[in-house]
Amino acid sequence: MSEFFPNIGKIPYEGKNSTNPLSFKYYNPDEVVNGKTMREQLKFALSWWHTMGGDGTDMFGCGTTDKTWGKTSPEERAIAKCDAAFEIMDKLSIDYYCFHDRDLSPEYGSLAESNAKFDVVTDYLKEKQAATGKKLLWGTAKCFDHPRYMHGAGTSPSADVYCYAVAQIKKAVEATVKLGGNGYVFWGGREGYETLLNTNMSLELDNMARLMHMIVDYARSIGFKGDFYIEPKPKEPTKHQYDFDTATVIGFLRKYGLDKDFKMNIEANHATLAMHTFQHELRVARDNGVFGSIDANQGDTLLGWDTDQFPTNVYDCALCMYEVLKAGGFTNGGLNFDAKARRGSFTPEDIFHSYIAGMDSFALGLKIADKMISDGRIDSFVADRYSSWTTGIGADIIAGKADIAAIEKYALEKGEVVDSLSSGRQEMLEAILNNIMFSL
Ligand code: XUL
Ligand code: CO
């Protein structure tokens, strides 16, 4: 088989003093950090949509990079994409990939034909996985790009569209199971609304939950043992996306009894759009037992839309990996680069430069997070800050031993409490974090 990137060899780890741009400075797959190798801790995944299909097209202009993989027919191109993707994964030491059904194989004249041609591609992927040991992290269905989904898929006002979506998702779940994926993602592309003047919100959400229950039951019946994920996003493409943020999604899952099967796929840029930090979203997920997987990218805080940039902000990567380590690491999930090279970075080498930048940032993030934990200054500050809850009245409240009358009595006797407050020391803690980061 001919190579798609003949000028690029396997990307080596050369360490932080290397000046070779086509080498890893920090990502050393076999190095052990916090009890596991970096490749096990980070579980990097390639995103089929941006990497194999994204050609730089935006609202203002056509593509700038050729992602036809040398083929004109859609069937041949789909196969060539598989070969090129596996070459990229091999050269970058990436073990996993993620797909939308239509990134693997486009739509054809009918659902039956689309399904049959999709099968050919997933059969081929299964062979490639067996030959290389690469794995599927998660699959999903593209229920947002075709015009039929203009008003939503699982939340469409049309029952016919809803049925099409159920059938499409059923097929995508079958492919995920066939390829041994341990995750299935729902990102509610067009599941949201523009105006309540034309929207029955409660029916739309009830229907979405019905769809999810149907898919969960079916997936379990064909042997899917992995996690379902919802990927929160507050806006884009609709003004009000139903899955605004992690807290909103948890409310939805609990209301509809879906919380046992679903976890979160947290995307960094979506957190930014929700006016949260990436760490906040991860913490809400961790604290509620729904931390699952991560779409690792970064947004631009000066722009209000989804830029899906490769992550280079090491500070954010460190705080992300701190949450991941505190959650006990990934189980079924991993770090998927839902990220694209910028439109002006249009050459084949830019794919590699982008992944190297993202992977090295997360490798640094992992090492810093590990050091934050072993250093212990930040964790022990937080523990100390809440020490009034470990003894006396605080401990009694937590143990359920202090009722409202006892608490009132305590407050009356205690009098003013300002003098016993201690500083939050935010600046000191930020300086400690810098100290940990820059003394690696
Ligand atoms: C869109 C987005 C999606 C999901 C998968 O903002 O992030 O690509 O990750 O459907
Ligand atoms: Co995403």
Side-chain angles (χ1 to χ4, degrees):
M1 190 191 311
S2 63
E3 286 184 71
F4 289 86
F5 305 94
N7 302 328
I8 294 174
K10 186 141 182 139
I11 305 298
Y13 165 70
E14 291 186 357
K16 65 181 177 184
N17 295 324
S18 169
T19 53
N20 170 12
L22 288 170
S23 73
F24 292 116
K25 315 294 177 297
Y26 304 100
Y27 181 57
N28 183 7
D30 299 321
E31 184 180 329
V32 174
V33 180
N34 207 275
K36 285 191 230 163
T37 62
M38 281 197 175
R39 73 185 324 141
E40 289 166 332
Q41 289 287 18
L42 295 164
K43 291 182 71 182
F44 288 129
L46 168 144
S47 70
W48 215 266
W49 50 107
H50 287 313
T51 306
M52 309 318 299
D55 67 358
T57 301
D58 71 10
M59 311 261 274
F60 307 101
C62 61
T64 54
T65 180
D66 182 1
K67 293 280 176 77
T68 58
W69 307 107
K71 302 288 177 194
T72 41
S73 86
E75 291 90 344
E76 284 178 325
R77 186 174 296 164
I79 295 296
K81 268 183 173 180
C82 299
D83 292 333
F86 275 68
E87 185 182 330
I88 295 170
M89 286 191 273
D90 176 49
K91 290 185 169 171
L92 282 163
S93 305
I94 292 175
D95 297 331
Y96 296 86
Y97 67 98
C98 302
F99 69 76
H100 295 96
D101 50 0
R102 302 303 179 230
D103 304 322
L104 293 181
S105 175
E107 287 221 15
Y108 293 89
S110 67
L111 183 58
E113 190 186 354
S114 299
N115 284 349
K117 296 208 166 155
F118 181 51
D119 282 341
V120 174
V121 179
T122 53
D123 286 347
Y124 189 61
L125 282 170
K126 195 169 176 181
E127 283 170 25
K128 293 206 71 99
Q129 286 184 201
T132 60
K134 303 287 175 206
K135 299 184 207 81
L136 174 65
L137 187 68
W138 51 256
T140 188
K142 204 169 215 170
C143 289
F144 47 86
D145 66 335
H146 191 279
R148 80 175 71 82
Y149 296 127
M150 67 175 80
H151 300 306
T155 64
S156 174
S158 156
D160 288 349
V161 171
Y162 185 91
C163 294
Y164 200 107
V166 170
Q168 187 181 332
I169 296 169
K170 174 177 178 284
K171 186 73 189 170
V173 167
E174 287 164 4
T176 302
V177 172
K178 170 166 128 185
L179 295 172
N182 278 327
Y184 185 85
V185 166
F186 286 85
W187 169 60
R190 306 226 176 241
E191 318 294 12
Y193 70 91
E194 299 295 333
T195 174
L196 288 174
L197 292 174
N198 66 12
T199 302
N200 182 340
M201 186 157 74
S202 73
L203 177 65
E204 291 200 357
L205 286 167
D206 288 354
N207 282 344
M208 190 71 221
R210 284 186 187 100
L211 180 150
M212 287 177 174
H213 273 293
M214 246 184 290
I215 296 296
V216 168
D217 291 348
Y218 177 69
R220 298 296 183 214
S221 80
I222 60 165
F224 180 67
K225 299 207 171 28
D227 291 317
F228 291 91
Y229 304 117
I230 293 191
E231 184 177 320
K233 183 172 183 180
K235 55 189 174 184
E236 273 199 325
T238 68
K239 181 158 69 172
H240 301 279
Q241 292 284 120
Y242 288 134
D243 301 329
F244 187 94
D245 63 358
T246 302
T248 309
V249 171
I250 289 170
F252 169 87
L253 293 175
R254 289 185 184 160
K255 173 174 177 187
Y256 291 104
L258 288 159
D259 44 320
K260 298 284 171 292
D261 292 288
F262 277 82
K263 292 188 171 141
M264 293 302 140
N265 184 43
I266 308 276
E267 177 164 325
N269 195 177
H270 296 178
T272 308
L273 294 178
M275 310 278 270
H276 294 311
T277 61
F278 187 18
Q279 189 186 12
H280 167 91
E281 285 293 88
L282 292 162
R283 179 69 62 91
V284 176
R286 166 156 87 87
D287 284 351
N288 285 279
V290 291
F291 165 69
S293 205
I294 292 179
D295 271 6
N297 54 25
Q298 71 186 29
D300 188 317
T301 47
L302 301 183
L303 302 175
W305 63 90
D306 200 2
T307 52
D308 284 340
Q309 298 164 21
F310 274 87
T312 50
N313 182 328
V314 177
Y315 206 94
D316 279 351
C317 296
L319 295 174
C320 164
M321 289 313 298
Y322 173 82
E323 294 302 319
V324 173
L325 292 181
K326 287 278 180 179
F330 290 113
T331 50
N332 288 327
L335 274 171
N336 167 46
F337 287 107
D338 186 357
K340 58 189 178 200
R342 289 172 177 79
R343 191 165 184 268
S345 304
F346 64 97
T347 72
E349 297 81 53
D350 284 308
I351 295 176
F352 291 85
H353 291 307
S354 307
Y355 272 96
I356 291 168
M359 292 165 78
D360 265 346
S361 300
F362 264 94
L364 265 174
L366 170 64
K367 288 181 137 187
I368 294 162
D370 177 50
K371 216 173 152 211
M372 281 169 74
I373 293 167
S374 60
D375 174 277
R377 278 177 286 173
I378 294 174
D379 284 344
S380 64
F381 182 89
V382 175
D384 255 19
R385 190 162 184 239
Y386 293 88
S387 57
S388 67
W389 294 92
T390 56
T391 54
I393 188 73
D396 286 349
I397 293 170
I398 287 177
K401 287 191 209 145
D403 62 11
I404 192 162
I407 292 173
E408 184 193 36
K409 180 167 176 290
Y410 180 85
L412 288 169
E413 282 165 11
K414 184 91 191 164
E416 186 47 75
V417 295
V418 169
D419 289 348
S420 63
L421 293 180
S422 44
S423 166
R425 295 263 192 272
Q426 185 169 341
E427 296 77 2
M428 180 193 84
L429 292 163
E430 287 164 350
I432 290 174
L433 182 52
N434 281 344
N435 176 240
I436 292 169
M437 278 184 76
F438 294 102
S439 60
L440 256 191

